[in-house]
Amino acid sequence: MDNGLRPDRRPAIAICAWDPGFTAWDPVEDLSGDPWSPVGARTLPVSGDVSAEALAARLSALIASGECGALLLVGRTAHPGTFRLQTRAENKSLTGAERLDHTGPGVVRATAPAAEIVRDLSAAGLTALAASDAEEDAGSYILYRILNDLPDGAASPAIGLIRAPSNVPDAKVQVAVKAAASVIARHLAPLPRSSAA
C-alpha cells in the first residue's frame, strides 16, 4: 500500500450505484473512511446522486481522462433470485420511446469479462448469469452512453453492469460487487510511472 513516500501505481476501478436509493453497496467498510479495494487495484467510488444524464457524462469523463481504467455499475434487477451481469445495452432514451443516439449503433456490448465474473460469483456461492437483455432503466441508459462514448481504436477499458435481485441481503450484494471488481482488477495493468499519483 501507499506509505506516503511512493506514488500509488495501482489502476483505479470506478464503482457506481447509479440509483442513490440503492444503499446495499457501501465501499467504506470500517471507521477508517477508506473504500474497499481489490487486490492490485484501487476503488474510485462515484456517487449516483445526480441525474442519469449527468452521471453518464461524469463517468465517461473519468474514463476519457484516464482517471480510471475500468468501471463497474451496480444496481437492482427486475428479475427475482439471480445476480445478472448485463452484457449489452440498447440505443434507447431514458423513456425508451426513441433512440438515444440517431447515428449510434442499435446495441453496444459491455467489455467486462462476463463469463469470468459469473464464474467467480458462482464460486462465492451466489446464483448468477450473464444476461443479454437490457432492462429499461437508468442503468442501461448509462451503460449505453458510456460504451458509445468510447473512442474508436483505443484499447477498451473493462466496463460492466451488475444487477442484484431485490430479495437478497446487503451482505450478498457486497460479496457480488467485490467478486466482480476483483475479476476486473486481475485484467488491469499498473499505471506507468509517469501517471502514478
Side-chain angles (χ1 to χ4, degrees), residues 102-134:
H102 293 290
T103 61
V107 173
V108 290
R109 296 198 64 81
T111 55
E116 193 176 341
I117 291 172
V118 169
R119 186 193 71 215
D120 280 26
L121 290 175
S122 297
L126 303 173
T127 305
L129 59 82
S132 61
D133 58 317

mmCIF file of all heavy atoms in Angstrom, residues 102-134:
data_model
loop_
_atom_site.group_PDB
_atom_site.id
_atom_site.type_symbol
_atom_site.label_atom_id
_atom_site.label_comp_id
_atom_site.label_asym_id
_atom_site.label_seq_id
_atom_site.Cartn_x
_atom_site.Cartn_y
_atom_site.Cartn_z
ATOM 1 N N HIS A 102 -29.175 8.984 -32.717
ATOM 2 C CA HIS A 102 -29.714 8.627 -34.038
ATOM 3 C C HIS A 102 -28.660 8.089 -34.991
ATOM 4 O O HIS A 102 -28.993 7.447 -35.981
ATOM 5 C CB HIS A 102 -30.443 9.831 -34.646
ATOM 6 C CG HIS A 102 -31.682 10.184 -33.892
ATOM 7 N ND1 HIS A 102 -32.813 9.390 -33.891
ATOM 8 C CD2 HIS A 102 -31.969 11.222 -33.067
ATOM 9 C CE1 HIS A 102 -33.738 9.930 -33.120
ATOM 10 N NE2 HIS A 102 -33.239 11.054 -32.597
ATOM 11 N N THR A 103 -27.391 8.322 -34.701
ATOM 12 C CA THR A 103 -26.325 7.789 -35.568
ATOM 13 C C THR A 103 -25.537 6.671 -34.896
ATOM 14 O O THR A 103 -24.657 6.083 -35.514
ATOM 15 C CB THR A 103 -25.352 8.915 -35.979
ATOM 16 O OG1 THR A 103 -24.752 9.461 -34.808
ATOM 17 C CG2 THR A 103 -26.084 10.007 -36.761
ATOM 18 N N GLY A 104 -25.845 6.382 -33.641
ATOM 19 C CA GLY A 104 -25.110 5.352 -32.907
ATOM 20 C C GLY A 104 -25.620 3.955 -33.213
ATOM 21 O O GLY A 104 -26.710 3.779 -33.773
ATOM 22 N N PRO A 105 -24.850 2.937 -32.846
ATOM 23 C CA PRO A 105 -25.282 1.556 -33.073
ATOM 24 C C PRO A 105 -26.522 1.226 -32.247
ATOM 25 O O PRO A 105 -26.761 1.827 -31.195
ATOM 26 C CB PRO A 105 -24.077 0.728 -32.619
ATOM 27 C CG PRO A 105 -23.332 1.608 -31.675
ATOM 28 C CD PRO A 105 -23.553 3.013 -32.153
ATOM 29 N N GLY A 106 -27.298 0.265 -32.717
ATOM 30 C CA GLY A 106 -28.510 -0.133 -32.013
ATOM 31 C C GLY A 106 -28.219 -0.807 -30.683
ATOM 32 O O GLY A 106 -28.998 -0.698 -29.742
ATOM 33 N N VAL A 107 -27.083 -1.499 -30.616
ATOM 34 C CA VAL A 107 -26.705 -2.229 -29.412
ATOM 35 C C VAL A 107 -25.201 -2.090 -29.217
ATOM 36 O O VAL A 107 -24.444 -2.107 -30.188
ATOM 37 C CB VAL A 107 -27.077 -3.724 -29.534
ATOM 38 C CG1 VAL A 107 -26.545 -4.526 -28.358
ATOM 39 C CG2 VAL A 107 -28.580 -3.909 -29.646
ATOM 40 N N VAL A 108 -24.773 -1.944 -27.970
ATOM 41 C CA VAL A 108 -23.341 -1.966 -27.645
ATOM 42 C C VAL A 108 -23.116 -3.068 -26.614
ATOM 43 O O VAL A 108 -23.994 -3.363 -25.794
ATOM 44 C CB VAL A 108 -22.831 -0.605 -27.117
ATOM 45 C CG1 VAL A 108 -22.810 0.438 -28.215
ATOM 46 C CG2 VAL A 108 -23.664 -0.124 -25.933
ATOM 47 N N ARG A 109 -21.946 -3.678 -26.663
ATOM 48 C CA ARG A 109 -21.637 -4.781 -25.756
ATOM 49 C C ARG A 109 -20.717 -4.303 -24.632
ATOM 50 O O ARG A 109 -19.755 -3.583 -24.868
ATOM 51 C CB ARG A 109 -20.980 -5.931 -26.515
ATOM 52 C CG ARG A 109 -21.899 -6.550 -27.553
ATOM 53 C CD ARG A 109 -21.447 -7.921 -27.990
ATOM 54 N NE ARG A 109 -21.475 -8.908 -26.926
ATOM 55 C CZ ARG A 109 -22.576 -9.559 -26.530
ATOM 56 N NH1 ARG A 109 -23.730 -9.301 -27.092
ATOM 57 N NH2 ARG A 109 -22.498 -10.456 -25.564
ATOM 58 N N ALA A 110 -21.045 -4.732 -23.418
ATOM 59 C CA ALA A 110 -20.188 -4.429 -22.274
ATOM 60 C C ALA A 110 -18.833 -5.098 -22.483
ATOM 61 O O ALA A 110 -18.738 -6.140 -23.134
ATOM 62 C CB ALA A 110 -20.840 -4.919 -20.983
ATOM 63 N N THR A 111 -17.792 -4.520 -21.933
ATOM 64 C CA THR A 111 -16.425 -5.008 -22.173
ATOM 65 C C THR A 111 -15.822 -5.736 -20.975
ATOM 66 O O THR A 111 -14.708 -6.243 -21.066
ATOM 67 C CB THR A 111 -15.518 -3.827 -22.567
ATOM 68 O OG1 THR A 111 -15.602 -2.816 -21.547
ATOM 69 C CG2 THR A 111 -15.948 -3.239 -23.911
ATOM 70 N N ALA A 112 -16.533 -5.787 -19.862
ATOM 71 C CA ALA A 112 -16.034 -6.536 -18.699
ATOM 72 C C ALA A 112 -16.065 -8.035 -19.013
ATOM 73 O O ALA A 112 -16.907 -8.493 -19.796
ATOM 74 C CB ALA A 112 -16.884 -6.234 -17.480
ATOM 75 N N PRO A 113 -15.164 -8.824 -18.427
ATOM 76 C CA PRO A 113 -15.103 -10.268 -18.704
ATOM 77 C C PRO A 113 -16.272 -11.019 -18.056
ATOM 78 O O PRO A 113 -16.171 -11.525 -16.941
ATOM 79 C CB PRO A 113 -13.752 -10.683 -18.127
ATOM 80 C CG PRO A 113 -13.438 -9.661 -17.087
ATOM 81 C CD PRO A 113 -14.082 -8.380 -17.542
ATOM 82 N N ALA A 114 -17.392 -11.088 -18.765
ATOM 83 C CA ALA A 114 -18.650 -11.577 -18.198
ATOM 84 C C ALA A 114 -18.566 -13.018 -17.703
ATOM 85 O O ALA A 114 -18.994 -13.321 -16.585
ATOM 86 C CB ALA A 114 -19.770 -11.439 -19.225
ATOM 87 N N ALA A 115 -18.040 -13.917 -18.519
ATOM 88 C CA ALA A 115 -18.008 -15.331 -18.134
ATOM 89 C C ALA A 115 -17.171 -15.536 -16.873
ATOM 90 O O ALA A 115 -17.539 -16.314 -15.985
ATOM 91 C CB ALA A 115 -17.467 -16.173 -19.278
ATOM 92 N N GLU A 116 -16.062 -14.820 -16.790
ATOM 93 C CA GLU A 116 -15.188 -14.945 -15.628
ATOM 94 C C GLU A 116 -15.854 -14.386 -14.371
ATOM 95 O O GLU A 116 -15.739 -14.951 -13.281
ATOM 96 C CB GLU A 116 -13.870 -14.221 -15.910
ATOM 97 C CG GLU A 116 -12.766 -14.529 -14.933
ATOM 98 C CD GLU A 116 -11.455 -13.865 -15.323
ATOM 99 O OE1 GLU A 116 -11.286 -13.462 -16.496
ATOM 100 O OE2 GLU A 116 -10.600 -13.733 -14.432
ATOM 101 N N ILE A 117 -16.573 -13.283 -14.519
ATOM 102 C CA ILE A 117 -17.277 -12.705 -13.373
ATOM 103 C C ILE A 117 -18.369 -13.656 -12.889
ATOM 104 O O ILE A 117 -18.500 -13.913 -11.688
ATOM 105 C CB ILE A 117 -17.852 -11.314 -13.722
ATOM 106 C CG1 ILE A 117 -16.708 -10.304 -13.904
ATOM 107 C CG2 ILE A 117 -18.820 -10.832 -12.638
ATOM 108 C CD1 ILE A 117 -17.146 -8.952 -14.429
ATOM 109 N N VAL A 118 -19.155 -14.200 -13.812
ATOM 110 C CA VAL A 118 -20.215 -15.139 -13.426
ATOM 111 C C VAL A 118 -19.611 -16.356 -12.732
ATOM 112 O O VAL A 118 -20.134 -16.834 -11.719
ATOM 113 C CB VAL A 118 -21.058 -15.538 -14.654
ATOM 114 C CG1 VAL A 118 -21.976 -16.715 -14.329
ATOM 115 C CG2 VAL A 118 -21.879 -14.350 -15.143
ATOM 116 N N ARG A 119 -18.492 -16.843 -13.240
ATOM 117 C CA ARG A 119 -17.832 -17.993 -12.617
ATOM 118 C C ARG A 119 -17.413 -17.682 -11.185
ATOM 119 O O ARG A 119 -17.631 -18.480 -10.265
ATOM 120 C CB ARG A 119 -16.609 -18.403 -13.440
ATOM 121 C CG ARG A 119 -15.940 -19.687 -12.927
ATOM 122 C CD ARG A 119 -14.589 -19.898 -13.545
ATOM 123 N NE ARG A 119 -13.668 -18.903 -13.008
ATOM 124 C CZ ARG A 119 -12.689 -18.335 -13.699
ATOM 125 N NH1 ARG A 119 -12.480 -18.661 -14.954
ATOM 126 N NH2 ARG A 119 -11.897 -17.434 -13.139
ATOM 127 N N ASP A 120 -16.838 -16.490 -10.956
ATOM 128 C CA ASP A 120 -16.389 -16.142 -9.608
ATOM 129 C C ASP A 120 -17.558 -15.861 -8.664
ATOM 130 O O ASP A 120 -17.466 -16.142 -7.470
ATOM 131 C CB ASP A 120 -15.432 -14.952 -9.660
ATOM 132 C CG ASP A 120 -14.017 -15.369 -10.056
ATOM 133 O OD1 ASP A 120 -13.869 -16.396 -10.747
ATOM 134 O OD2 ASP A 120 -13.072 -14.670 -9.670
ATOM 135 N N LEU A 121 -18.649 -15.321 -9.181
ATOM 136 C CA LEU A 121 -19.842 -15.143 -8.360
ATOM 137 C C LEU A 121 -20.384 -16.504 -7.926
ATOM 138 O O LEU A 121 -20.756 -16.700 -6.764
ATOM 139 C CB LEU A 121 -20.916 -14.365 -9.122
ATOM 140 C CG LEU A 121 -20.645 -12.883 -9.382
ATOM 141 C CD1 LEU A 121 -21.737 -12.291 -10.255
ATOM 142 C CD2 LEU A 121 -20.544 -12.108 -8.096
ATOM 143 N N SER A 122 -20.416 -17.437 -8.853
ATOM 144 C CA SER A 122 -20.881 -18.790 -8.526
ATOM 145 C C SER A 122 -19.960 -19.438 -7.505
ATOM 146 O O SER A 122 -20.419 -20.103 -6.567
ATOM 147 C CB SER A 122 -20.966 -19.646 -9.790
ATOM 148 O OG SER A 122 -21.914 -19.102 -10.685
ATOM 149 N N ALA A 123 -18.651 -19.243 -7.653
ATOM 150 C CA ALA A 123 -17.685 -19.806 -6.703
ATOM 151 C C ALA A 123 -17.864 -19.198 -5.315
ATOM 152 O O ALA A 123 -17.554 -19.839 -4.308
ATOM 153 C CB ALA A 123 -16.262 -19.571 -7.202
ATOM 154 N N ALA A 124 -18.395 -17.984 -5.254
ATOM 155 C CA ALA A 124 -18.645 -17.322 -3.968
ATOM 156 C C ALA A 124 -19.996 -17.726 -3.381
ATOM 157 O O ALA A 124 -20.416 -17.180 -2.353
ATOM 158 C CB ALA A 124 -18.581 -15.809 -4.138
ATOM 159 N N GLY A 125 -20.687 -18.663 -4.040
ATOM 160 C CA GLY A 125 -21.958 -19.163 -3.523
ATOM 161 C C GLY A 125 -23.176 -18.372 -3.949
ATOM 162 O O GLY A 125 -24.255 -18.529 -3.368
ATOM 163 N N LEU A 126 -23.025 -17.537 -4.980
ATOM 164 C CA LEU A 126 -24.139 -16.719 -5.456
ATOM 165 C C LEU A 126 -24.679 -17.279 -6.766
ATOM 166 O O LEU A 126 -23.918 -17.771 -7.596
ATOM 167 C CB LEU A 126 -23.681 -15.273 -5.673
ATOM 168 C CG LEU A 126 -23.060 -14.585 -4.450
ATOM 169 C CD1 LEU A 126 -22.495 -13.231 -4.855
ATOM 170 C CD2 LEU A 126 -24.088 -14.423 -3.339
ATOM 171 N N THR A 127 -25.981 -17.200 -6.959
ATOM 172 C CA THR A 127 -26.592 -17.588 -8.218
ATOM 173 C C THR A 127 -26.453 -16.414 -9.182
ATOM 174 O O THR A 127 -26.904 -15.302 -8.871
ATOM 175 C CB THR A 127 -28.079 -17.936 -8.025
ATOM 176 O OG1 THR A 127 -28.172 -18.937 -7.018
ATOM 177 C CG2 THR A 127 -28.689 -18.449 -9.303
ATOM 178 N N ALA A 128 -25.819 -16.639 -10.326
ATOM 179 C CA ALA A 128 -25.531 -15.536 -11.241
ATOM 180 C C ALA A 128 -25.599 -16.002 -12.679
ATOM 181 O O ALA A 128 -25.392 -17.185 -12.974
ATOM 182 C CB ALA A 128 -24.144 -14.965 -10.947
ATOM 183 N N LEU A 129 -25.877 -15.067 -13.573
ATOM 184 C CA LEU A 129 -25.868 -15.362 -15.008
ATOM 185 C C LEU A 129 -25.497 -14.111 -15.782
ATOM 186 O O LEU A 129 -25.637 -12.992 -15.290
ATOM 187 C CB LEU A 129 -27.218 -15.917 -15.472
ATOM 188 C CG LEU A 129 -28.485 -15.073 -15.282
ATOM 189 C CD1 LEU A 129 -28.669 -14.044 -16.382
ATOM 190 C CD2 LEU A 129 -29.702 -15.989 -15.258
ATOM 191 N N ALA A 130 -25.009 -14.315 -17.003
ATOM 192 C CA ALA A 130 -24.761 -13.208 -17.931
ATOM 193 C C ALA A 130 -26.035 -13.038 -18.744
ATOM 194 O O ALA A 130 -26.536 -14.002 -19.317
ATOM 195 C CB ALA A 130 -23.573 -13.515 -18.827
ATOM 196 N N ALA A 131 -26.589 -11.834 -18.759
ATOM 197 C CA ALA A 131 -27.873 -11.581 -19.408
ATOM 198 C C ALA A 131 -27.694 -10.610 -20.567
ATOM 199 O O ALA A 131 -27.153 -9.524 -20.393
ATOM 200 C CB ALA A 131 -28.863 -11.008 -18.390
ATOM 201 N N SER A 132 -28.164 -11.003 -21.753
ATOM 202 C CA SER A 132 -28.043 -10.120 -22.912
ATOM 203 C C SER A 132 -29.230 -9.171 -23.032
ATOM 204 O O SER A 132 -29.173 -8.225 -23.808
ATOM 205 C CB SER A 132 -27.903 -10.945 -24.195
ATOM 206 O OG SER A 132 -29.048 -11.753 -24.381
ATOM 207 N N ASP A 133 -30.296 -9.407 -22.273
ATOM 208 C CA ASP A 133 -31.435 -8.493 -22.337
ATOM 209 C C ASP A 133 -31.153 -7.267 -21.474
ATOM 210 O O ASP A 133 -30.695 -7.369 -20.353
ATOM 211 C CB ASP A 133 -32.727 -9.183 -21.898
ATOM 212 C CG ASP A 133 -32.649 -9.751 -20.486
ATOM 213 O OD1 ASP A 133 -31.610 -10.348 -20.165
ATOM 214 O OD2 ASP A 133 -33.608 -9.577 -19.719
ATOM 215 N N ALA A 134 -31.417 -6.113 -22.054
ATOM 216 C CA ALA A 134 -31.182 -4.848 -21.358
ATOM 217 C C ALA A 134 -32.460 -4.423 -20.657
ATOM 218 O O ALA A 134 -33.516 -4.348 -21.279
ATOM 219 C CB ALA A 134 -30.740 -3.783 -22.350
#
